[in-house]
């Protein structure tokens, strides 16, 4: 099969690779119908040092091609969507809704390919209606990661109709954090971002204010918009230290910073002046999107939300190197790939 | 009046000072009936560098001696207890229950004295029954800080009958975090501490297990007691970096670390391997004990809890230097002072 491989930073190629195949009786092999490039794929695109080629991609929906002998709920031809992080489905952490911490779990790593092996298929693959309109596929694909991740940020922050919200980052996750906060009833949603095409989509998704300024100036703007106090919740969808500092700057005393941008740092200020003194809570992590698919699917199928609007470029599998380049250059917000 | 003053580290004296007096019409002056020395008073006792003498003490109950012209709910002779942190009572943060972040608020700083000025007295001073039995005074005094602070740790962590709990620290706050977790219904409460007299009191307060080991060994013990997973909540009542690291080591994926030990560090690990990857929440801060007094008072007055058991030494005001020494040397858990 054809598959996207990353060599060193900036060097992405589409190559022949061994066909995806069953390994365990609980596996399925899925023919990828839609996949995409994630903002987090840009981290190795910037920093990968070793030259050992690595498969890429963790978001996919597709049709089941083959199932292992212990898979009972799926059959060849079923249209399914997967979470970017899989779990076993039966351990206590999976049952508590946290497959991202499943000891037998992991992250999908070869979705930007023609086909992919899915472990614990009965648990991880959610069946979609077979006759779903093709125009819904981009939105359905966002359930794999970016929509579920934005939702996770908002849920972990405890967003509700009485909480004000700041969203830091106008990437796909940030914009879908806006959408999620709106769905959860937030009335004031301040989007911090500076790319107008993106912040315009953020307004469409429910942002009530956009703050383009960064650093102290950005903090000042958010405080002006919130009676000097900051917002009850901050959804941080970037992962770099300035975004953390911005979060601390705009959160209201007693509020919550919910991070879903993968932190590109280890140490941060958590002492008296940053988090402790004002009783600020720091939460978040990799989203267990599997746990949210059932809740979010009806809105997507019913057309009440259209998270797939984050895709602003559609390419074929052979063009993924160009897709990486376009996202890296910020020519594209998020690239949809049809193998 | 006589008052406890700290000069440089280790140098505590009881001296004559100007009498406490009304400054604002919302003030009251309270004659201190019971005060005490706090574990956090030991921080300056170890590190104070300047020689400028500072008043000491933030916990007190006493009788109202004089009220300002705008105080309506209190009169001379009322027995009252105060929170260690006062607020204005009318701003949005006070109304939300967070007087620790009130712009007009602050921490009491001269309670180890014969008398003290209390700002915004109507809000900050809670009236106690005038005929209360004197044996209840120690427990009532814990409402000012250590009981309310242990309660804050447990409440912010979301302790409930289905959460397992680790308490780090066998000081007064740690022991009262145990008591609070038990009151909130927790069934497994692991107390990490190594001073047997204290951990024995912890068991009396509700600890089901005691782990004396520290570091990796202590983490291993807690994991053994919890099926390898750690506890849903960790109540951190120390404030030093090893306690933070211990918290990260014993918290279950998806769990909560709730800090009430004042952090003696600024930077800490919050990246993928510590907090983010396992979706661990970090919360806590200075306890708004004013907000908890109404909830906790009935249990103390009714005798269903006896948080005052943390006091293991009773002294007079002139002996506070000796009280500091005894607590610093760990001869005493917590010292009660009767001016």
């Amino acid at each position: 099969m054809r598959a996207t491989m990353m060599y060193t930073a900036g060097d992405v190629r589409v190559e022949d690779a061994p066909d995806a195949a069953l390994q365990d009786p609980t596996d399925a092999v899925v023919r990828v119908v839609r996949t995409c490039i994630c903002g987090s794929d840009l981290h190795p695109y910037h920093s990968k040092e070793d030259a050992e080629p690595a498969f890429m991609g963790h978001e996919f929906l597709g049709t089941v091609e083959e199932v292992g002998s212990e898979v009972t709920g799926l059959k060849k031809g079923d249209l399914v969507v997967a979470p970017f992080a899989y779990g076993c489905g039966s351990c206590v952490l999976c049952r508590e809704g946290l497959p991202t911490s499943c000891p037998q779990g992991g992250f999908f790593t070869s979705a930007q390919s023609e086909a992919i092996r899915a472990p614990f298929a009965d648990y991880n693959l959610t069946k979609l209606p077979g006759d779903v309109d093709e125009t819904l596929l981009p939105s359905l694909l966002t359930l794999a990661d970016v929509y579920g991740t934005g939702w996770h940020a908002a849920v972990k922050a405890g967003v509700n109709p009485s909480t004000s919200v700041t969203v830091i980052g106008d990437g796909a996750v940030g914009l879908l954090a806006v959408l999620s906060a709106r769905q959860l009833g937030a009335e004031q949603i301040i989007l911090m971002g500076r790319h107008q095409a993106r912040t315009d989509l953020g307004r469409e998704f429910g942002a009530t204010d956009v703050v383009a300024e960064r650093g102290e100036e950005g903090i000042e703007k958010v405080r002006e918009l919130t009676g000097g106090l900051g917002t009850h919740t901050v959804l941080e969808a970037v992962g770099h230290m300035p975004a953390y500092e911005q979060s601390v700057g705009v959160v209201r005393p007693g509020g919550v910073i919910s991070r879903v941008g993968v932190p590109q740092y280890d140490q941060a200020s958590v002492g008296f002046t940053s988090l402790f003194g004002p009783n600020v809570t720091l939460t978040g992590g990799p989203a267990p999107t599997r746990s949210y698919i059932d809740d979010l699917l009806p809105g997507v199928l019913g057309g009440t939300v259209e998270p797939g609007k984050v895709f602003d470029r559609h390419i074929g599998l052979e063009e993924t190197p160009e897709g990486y380049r376009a996202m890296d250059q910020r020519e594209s917000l998020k690239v949809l790939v049809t193998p």
Side-chain angles (χ1 to χ4, degrees), chain A residues 50-330:
Chain A
D50 65 292
E52 190 67 38
F55 283 96
M56 294 299 296
H58 50 263
E59 299 153 283
F60 67 97
L61 61 72
T63 51
V64 173
E65 189 156 283
E66 196 182 353
V67 296
S69 58
E70 291 177 18
V71 175
T72 58
L74 298 167
K75 60 177 195 306
K76 185 175 162 73
D78 284 344
L79 184 68
V80 294
V81 62
F84 73 92
Y86 62 83
C88 74
S90 49
C91 72
V92 61
L93 292 169
C94 282
R95 290 199 314 270
E96 285 179 3
L98 202 65
T100 46
S101 289
C102 173
Q104 294 188 80
F107 300 110
F108 284 106
T109 54
S110 59
Q112 291 161 11
S113 304
E114 288 182 291
I116 187 167
R117 177 179 79 89
F120 307 106
D122 275 327
Y123 171 65
N124 292 299
L125 301 180
T126 300
K127 237 166 113 167
L128 301 171
D131 58 350
V132 71
D133 192 291
E134 192 167 312
T135 59
L136 287 179
L137 294 182
S139 286
L140 290 167
L141 178 60
T142 65
L143 295 170
D145 184 348
V146 285
Y147 183 21
T149 295
W151 182 258
H152 185 59
V155 166
K156 290 289 279 186
V159 171
N160 66 54
S162 63
T163 50
S164 50
V165 180
T166 300
V167 174
I168 298 183
D170 56 10
V173 170
L175 297 180
L176 291 171
V178 169
L179 179 73
S180 299
R182 188 70 203 88
Q183 273 186 282
L184 290 165
E187 289 179 2
Q188 184 179 30
I189 304 172
I190 301 169
L191 173 60
M192 302 194 79
R194 49 170 55 194
H195 301 87
Q196 193 171 344
R198 301 178 182 195
T199 56
D200 284 351
L201 181 55
R203 286 190 191 271
E204 191 180 330
F205 281 160
T208 52
D209 304 277
V210 169
V211 170
E213 291 82 355
R214 294 182 179 182
E216 279 307 316
E217 215 184 332
I219 291 168
E220 205 41 59
K221 283 272 177 186
V222 173
R223 294 196 167 270
E224 276 169 28
L225 290 166
T226 54
L229 287 173
T231 54
H232 297 94
T233 65
V234 181
L235 315 184
E236 196 279 86
V238 177
H240 291 289
M241 181 49 71
Y244 181 86
E245 290 164 348
Q246 197 113 94
S247 301
V248 170
V250 302
V251 71
R252 180 187 174 102
V256 184
I257 297 169
S258 183
R259 296 182 298 170
V260 289
V262 180
Q264 303 301 301
Y265 51 85
D266 176 57
Q267 301 270 314
S269 282
V270 299
F272 202 92
T273 53
S274 52
L275 302 188
F276 189 86
N279 268 287
V280 166
T281 296
L282 178 66
T283 190
T289 58
R290 172 65 188 86
S291 306
Y292 300 132
I293 287 178
D294 295 343
D295 288 339
L296 300 180
L297 187 55
V300 173
L301 289 175
T304 56
V305 291
E306 209 176 333
K309 284 188 174 174
V310 294
F311 294 110
D312 58 356
R313 186 177 296 205
H314 296 193
I315 62 175
L317 184 61
E318 298 299 324
E319 299 161 88
T320 55
E322 163 60 13
Y324 276 81
R325 192 205 56 75
M327 277 182 65
D328 182 47
Q329 297 296 312
R330 294 181 172 276

